[in-house]
Amino acid sequence: MSLSEWMIWLQRHDSVSISALLALALFLGLYGATEWGIARRERSRLYRLNGSLELYAAAQAPLIQAAGAGAGQELSPGQAEALLTRLLACRAASYATEDMLAQIAAYAGDLDAARLPLLLKTLERESERLCKERDKLLRRAESPGWGYSLWKGIRPAIPFLFAAALLYLIAWLLRALHGDVPLAEYGAEELVNSWSWFASALLSLLLLYPALMGIYRPNAGSKLLKGWAVFIAALFLLHLLGPEVAPYILVIQVLLFLLGFRFSGGKPRKSRPFAGHYPEEDGFGQEPNERRSAAGAGDSNPPEK
């Protein structure tokens, strides 16, 4: 087809051509913005990982030296000050865990060298975990597999699909409010079914979008929550059984959504003290020599007169 024939066709179908051009412009704009946002988010995450690893590496060398000291040896004032400075700097790491922060705070409170081996193990474990996460991020960015390469091309198109679905729901709502959809002629049962379908569709979109886009940083429970969100959204397909099941589907989705809060919670770290932690009532905050002296005094019995 020649260019002149294309122009003639566009002139005959003004509304169709304008709608197609607007849809194409919206698709390209959302695709480019989403791809740029994903790349920017991955670069920012890689920057935070490298920053945390640098702080951990700076503290690991003096911590290995201090933890490897023989029993009964005390750190010199200069070594203790340098170690404490490096450990306190680790608190500024973006991915510092609550466990490690609690151990650093405990050591800073009493400077007990007995805490250092456990603190070293925690620091090594966290460094290894961040290294694995950084390597995985680099492999996905520089040498992705066949399946992930295909997903990287499809994922920026998801916002356009969700925008189209959301636009359809908004158009349905506006038509219903203006009377174009004959809801007033429906009975109570049909009215409940129609609004249940609308609420179920909206809830499914709100749950499915962040699950597919991977907005949040993956962690131990993120796969479970993502799968749970996809499962709740997939229940919308049950509307194909008929409009009479819409209220039941909506109730099930809401109940499963509320149940998801049980998966996102965690036990408070303060209720699970790590090994070597000294509670306040047992002398937390005292110097190690004072605590050992107090313990020795408590074990000795006064001489009988």
Side-chain angles (χ1 to χ4, degrees):
M1 184 179 290
S2 63
L3 180 61
S4 59
E5 292 175 342
W6 273 108
M7 296 298 296
I8 294 174
W9 185 87
L10 290 176
Q11 292 177 358
R12 291 179 178 177
H13 305 82
D14 290 338
S15 59
V16 176
S17 59
I18 292 176
S19 300
L21 290 176
L22 289 178
L24 179 61
L26 179 61
F27 173 78
L28 294 178
L30 287 177
Y31 191 94
T34 304
E35 190 174 17
W36 177 82
I38 292 174
R40 180 176 178 272
R41 187 165 59 247
E42 290 182 349
R43 288 194 301 268
S44 178
R45 183 176 157 202
L46 184 61
Y47 174 79
R48 292 194 297 269
L49 285 171
N50 288 331
S52 299
L53 286 172
E54 289 176 1
L55 292 175
Y56 292 171
Q60 196 166 359
L63 187 56
I64 291 175
Q65 181 181 1
Q73 295 183 5
E74 298 290 341
L75 296 176
S76 65
Q79 291 176 332
E81 183 179 358
L83 175 60
L84 182 60
T85 301
R86 298 289 178 85
L87 289 176
L88 292 178
C90 290
R91 300 196 301 179
S94 301
Y95 295 133
T97 61
E98 193 174 349
D99 186 10
M100 191 175 68
L101 292 176
Q103 294 188 41
I104 293 175
Y107 175 75
D110 56 18
L111 299 180
D112 187 359
R115 301 182 185 273
L116 296 181
L118 179 61
L119 187 53
L120 176 60
K121 291 181 180 179
T122 303
L123 188 63
E124 290 176 344
R125 183 179 66 248
E126 295 300 324
S127 299
E128 183 178 359
R129 180 179 60 84
L130 293 184
C131 284
K132 290 181 179 179
E133 188 174 348
R134 183 192 59 182
D135 294 342
K136 183 178 180 180
L137 190 62
L138 288 174
R139 285 197 306 270
R140 286 185 171 182
E142 298 177 354
S143 57
W146 174 257
Y148 190 76
S149 299
L150 180 62
W151 172 244
K152 286 182 65 176
I154 295 176
R155 186 167 61 170
I158 292 177
F160 175 79
L161 300 178
F162 275 81
L166 187 60
L167 182 62
Y168 176 80
L169 290 179
I170 293 176
W172 184 91
L173 178 62
L174 293 177
R175 291 177 59 197
L177 295 177
H178 286 84
D180 296 334
V181 178
L183 294 180
E185 301 177 0
Y186 290 172
E189 183 178 356
E190 291 81 2
L191 192 62
V192 170
N193 294 340
S194 299
W195 285 108
S196 298
W197 173 87
F198 174 81
S200 177
L202 186 60
L203 178 61
S204 299
L205 290 178
L206 294 178
L207 290 176
L208 193 59
Y209 182 80
L212 293 180
M213 293 302 297
I215 297 176
Y216 305 109
R217 176 174 177 253
N219 52 43
S222 61
K223 291 184 178 180
L224 175 61
L225 294 177
K226 185 183 297 184
W228 194 250
V230 172
F231 173 72
I232 297 175
L235 293 177
F236 180 77
L237 298 176
L238 295 178
H239 287 283
L240 297 175
L241 298 176
E244 63 276 359
V245 299
Y248 304 100
I249 296 175
L250 177 61
V251 171
I252 293 175
Q253 286 181 312
V254 172
L255 292 178
L256 292 177
F257 172 77
L258 296 177
L259 185 60
F261 287 103
R262 297 292 300 272
F263 299 146
S264 60
K267 295 181 179 180
R269 186 62 188 85
K270 293 181 180 179
S271 64
R272 298 177 287 111
F274 51 84
H277 178 74
Y278 300 98
E280 292 187 11
E281 61 270 20
D282 292 336
F284 179 79
Q286 298 180 359
E287 294 295 330
N289 294 332
E290 295 177 2
R291 185 165 53 249
R292 285 193 289 268
S293 300
D299 293 337
S300 61
N301 295 323
E304 297 180 358
K305 295 183 180 180

